[in-house]
């Protein structure tokens, strides 16, 4: 797979190699690895990045809400033994890791 790099600067296609070689982020290794392209930063790419971050955050909050609800429902009954409570906690932990 070709390596993909992103430049967060406005640029002209003829300046790609100069930008990579003079980058303060030490990107010379990209040229040595093979084919690459640099995607110009635009308003649409920033909006897409923000949408992805927002989706990940909302998904995390949603799934944490589900696990919290499961935890509360499973611990409502006070007559459970200590081993049952440990098993419930372990199963919730394993389920959280799998998600």
């Amino acid at each position: 797979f070709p390596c993909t790099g992103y430049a967060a600067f406005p640029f002209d296609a003829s300046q790609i190699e100069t930008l990579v070689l003079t980058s303060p982020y030490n990107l010379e290794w990209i040229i040595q690895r093979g084919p690459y392209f640099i995607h110009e930063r635009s308003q649409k790419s920033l909006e897409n990045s923000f949408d992805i971050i927002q989706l990940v955050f909302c998904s995390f909050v949603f799934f944490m809400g589900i696990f919290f609800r499961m935890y509360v429902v499973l611990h409502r009954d006070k007559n459970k033994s200590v081993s049952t409570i440990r098993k419930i906690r372990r199963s919730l932990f394993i389920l959280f890791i799998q998600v």
Side-chain angles (χ1 to χ4, degrees):
F1 294 98
C3 181
T4 304
Y6 287 93
F9 312 106
F11 62 90
D12 186 339
S14 63
Q15 298 172 328
I16 288 286
E17 193 164 328
T18 306
L19 282 173
V20 170
L21 292 173
T22 59
S23 170
Y25 304 108
N26 192 19
L27 298 176
E28 293 91 17
W29 61 271
I30 292 175
I31 296 173
Q32 297 169 356
R33 287 194 61 178
Y36 66 95
F37 76 93
I38 296 180
H39 182 2
E40 182 178 8
R41 176 190 264 189
S42 66
Q43 185 64 29
K44 186 65 176 169
S45 66
L46 292 175
E47 289 172 1
N48 289 343
S49 299
F50 179 72
D51 290 343
I52 290 170
I53 292 170
Q54 194 173 19
L55 177 66
V56 168
F57 177 75
C58 290
S59 300
F60 178 76
V61 169
F62 177 74
F63 282 113
M64 290 307 295
I66 289 173
F67 281 103
F68 179 73
R69 175 71 178 149
M70 286 172 45
Y71 184 81
V72 168
V73 168
L74 292 173
H75 283 83
R76 249 188 216 158
D77 188 13
K78 298 295 182 190
N79 299 330
K80 293 182 182 168
S81 68
V82 175
S83 66
T84 304
I85 292 173
R86 280 191 200 130
K87 288 177 184 177
I88 290 171
R89 286 182 183 163
R90 184 171 10 134
S91 66
L92 284 174
F93 180 73
I94 291 171
L95 184 61
F96 178 75
I97 296 296
Q98 289 175 351
V99 170

